[in-house]
Amino acid sequence: MHFADTGLCAHLAGWSSVEAIELGAMSGQLFETYAFGEIYKSHVNSGRRPFLYCFRTNDKEKIDLLLEQNGAVFPIEIKKTASPMPRDTKSFTALGPVSTDNVPDELRSLKREIGTSCVVCMAGDTYPIGEQTWAFPVWAI
């Protein structure tokens, strides 16, 4: 669950100072909530309906967000770090079966192309961290 207002989320959780938020055990989750809200608002404010999904497999692989656009899905990981690493995107491999040609007929309508992925983070600029994965600064959303 994501709050659209991180200030309200912090208030309801009882965090009354910036230090409590920044150094607290939930700071990564609050950053994820903030980034989700900014991605959502950037779509809505530009007149587009955001098709955003959370993704988790039976094996507990988790992708923070899947953005679906034009028949493709774009995996998004959100990390409260200034220097994301390729290992931060290891769960993106869980989407492999969605893009293969070897899909049973009854699942063919669910098949999607996998687009460029990104790690939304606290980096100062955009840069590649993998073959099809980019570090994307949260300030640029």
Side-chain angles (χ1 to χ4, degrees):
M1 181 168 118
H2 292 286
F3 277 81
D5 184 337
T6 53
L8 176 61
C9 179
H11 173 74
L12 292 174
W15 300 320
S16 58
S17 70
V18 174
E19 293 79 20
I21 294 170
E22 180 64 30
L23 301 174
M26 300 295 288
S27 65
Q29 288 87 343
L30 193 63
F31 180 74
E32 185 177 322
T33 293
Y34 171 76
F36 167 81
E38 293 302 302
I39 293 167
Y40 181 82
K41 289 187 293 186
S42 71
H43 279 79
V44 171
N45 291 339
S46 65
R48 296 177 289 158
R49 181 173 177 210
F51 293 98
L52 295 170
Y53 307 96
C54 295
F55 181 84
R56 185 181 299 265
T57 68
N58 290 339
D59 299 333
K60 303 219 175 20
E61 290 290 329
K62 178 180 89 61
I63 299 174
D64 291 332
L65 286 176
L66 288 179
L67 171 64
E68 185 175 7
Q69 240 174 6
N70 301 324
V73 291
F74 300 88
I76 301 170
E77 187 65 28
I78 302 170
K79 293 286 182 191
K80 187 185 163 210
T81 180
S83 52
M85 308 294 272
R87 70 173 178 258
D88 294 330
T89 64
K90 69 181 184 306
S91 60
F92 292 173
T93 59
L95 295 175
V98 175
S99 63
T100 62
D101 291 327
N102 193 11
V103 176
D105 288 336
E106 58 273 7
L107 298 177
R108 201 162 301 282
S109 66
L110 301 174
K111 182 179 170 182
R112 298 286 186 272
E113 175 186 338
I114 307 301
T116 303
S117 57
C118 73
V119 177
V120 174
C121 59
M122 299 176 76
D125 206 357
T126 301
Y127 60 90
I129 58 171
E131 194 172 307
Q132 280 201 318
T133 306
W134 289 78
F136 192 82
V138 70
W139 61 261
I141 297 174

